[in-house]
Amino acid sequence: MTLENAIPHPRQGDAPAGSLPIELSALRTARGETALRFIVFTCRDPSTDFRRPLVDALRRRGHEVHYIWLKRRPLVSGPAAGDLAVPMSLASCLRYLRRVTTARERANIYFTTTNLCFPILILALKAICRPGVWCCDMHDDLLYSLRGVARLRARMNRALLLPAFDLIVHAAPMLKELFPASHHLGNASSIGSLKRNAPRFDKVLILASIDERMDFAFLDAVAAHCTDVDFEVHGQVSRNVEGAMQALCQARPNVHYHGAYLMADLVPIFARHAVMLAPLPRR
């Protein structure tokens, strides 16, 4: 399902909050699709943002995309793929948004993939920016393995944010149970099938965010059982599991940690491996 197909079209006579300034069906790209203007807010470095391929794909299909890394000084790029990223003050970024979203030749779609980092800022942006459809990227439940006060704060931020959005998309199908009104938008990649002249089965790739979800006991047992196989681990290690990752590498010489990866690294990494392992518990 594409994001465009997931956008709810108001019925005649309806006037929901955040309604579009123009009729979507009147606008078309060169491919005959509805021409849209996407404002993508992210909390991740563009070099590691898993939603970056979505941004690139939308641009290739003729949509106007402004990609904004929200932080103390937002980094703004777009609308074209080759436009340089420009750091701005928050005030300058707000003026930029008002200017680019005012033009009426395209409808505004605000796609927020900022987890729960900036709840007040996102609500303020929604109040300040021109009308459009606001979409929340619930690629996870966004609570992860938080505990105590941190988990309570995250739940409160999520409860504060979600009612403000016109549309919610989820990645994992199981999230449909938590968010029944959401639509599926998977983590699709632009990477196609890779041909390997001589695939090696003595090297197993583990590519993931290394955090509390990683089953270190399982990986340790597998590495102990398969001593003739090298387990190549790529991914950002969460601070609270650094010790577990270091201990595993020290205990099992066939487990090798290569550090965090960039999106540009994925093809070479995949090309070197024919087998992948996801050591995640079923819960």
Side-chain angles (χ1 to χ4, degrees), residues 100 124 147 216 267:
V100 300
R147 295 289 182 270
F216 288 99
V267 170

Side-chain angles (χ1 to χ4, degrees), residues 43-203:
C43 63
R44 295 173 289 273
D45 186 319
S47 63
T48 59
D49 189 358
F50 70 93
R51 285 304 190 196
R52 186 59 189 265
L54 173 63
V55 170
D56 296 336
L58 289 170
R59 285 171 172 164
R60 286 194 300 271
R61 297 186 77 88
H63 299 291
E64 178 184 328
V65 184
H66 302 264
Y67 180 66
I68 302 174
W69 179 12
L70 287 179
K71 50 181 183 172
R72 180 171 296 181
R73 285 183 60 82
L75 196 65
V76 181
S77 64
D83 292 343
L84 294 176
V86 179
M88 298 183 180
S89 66
L90 183 58
S92 296
C93 182
L94 293 176
R95 288 194 293 269
Y96 172 87
L97 287 170
R98 291 284 290 181
R99 177 172 56 82
V100 300
T101 59
T102 298
R104 296 179 60 85
E105 70 274 7
R106 292 175 184 254
N108 297 319
I109 309 295
Y110 300 93
F111 187 81
T112 64
T113 178
T114 54
N115 297 347
L116 301 174
C117 295
F118 312 105
I120 302 303
L121 176 58
I122 294 299
L123 293 177
L125 287 170
K126 189 173 187 293
I128 293 171
C129 291
R130 299 294 184 182
V133 171
W134 282 79
C135 176
C136 180
D137 183 15
M138 292 294 296
H139 54 85
D140 204 303
D141 70 356
L142 305 183
L143 301 179
Y144 302 110
S145 299
L146 296 174
R147 295 289 182 270
V149 175
R151 188 175 183 86
L152 177 61
R153 185 185 301 114
R155 290 178 68 91
M156 292 174 62
N157 287 342
R158 194 176 69 177
L160 178 68
L161 274 173
L162 291 188
F165 288 96
D166 304 299
L167 177 69
I168 300 172
V169 296
H170 65 264
M174 66 184 67
L175 292 176
K176 185 71 173 178
E177 299 177 8
L178 293 176
F179 311 105
S182 62
H183 301 269
H184 181 251
L185 181 69
N187 299 339
S189 172
S190 57
I191 300 174
S193 178
L194 301 176
K195 293 184 178 180
R196 301 171 181 84
N197 295 327
R200 297 184 57 176
F201 298 99
D202 60 343
K203 288 185 177 293

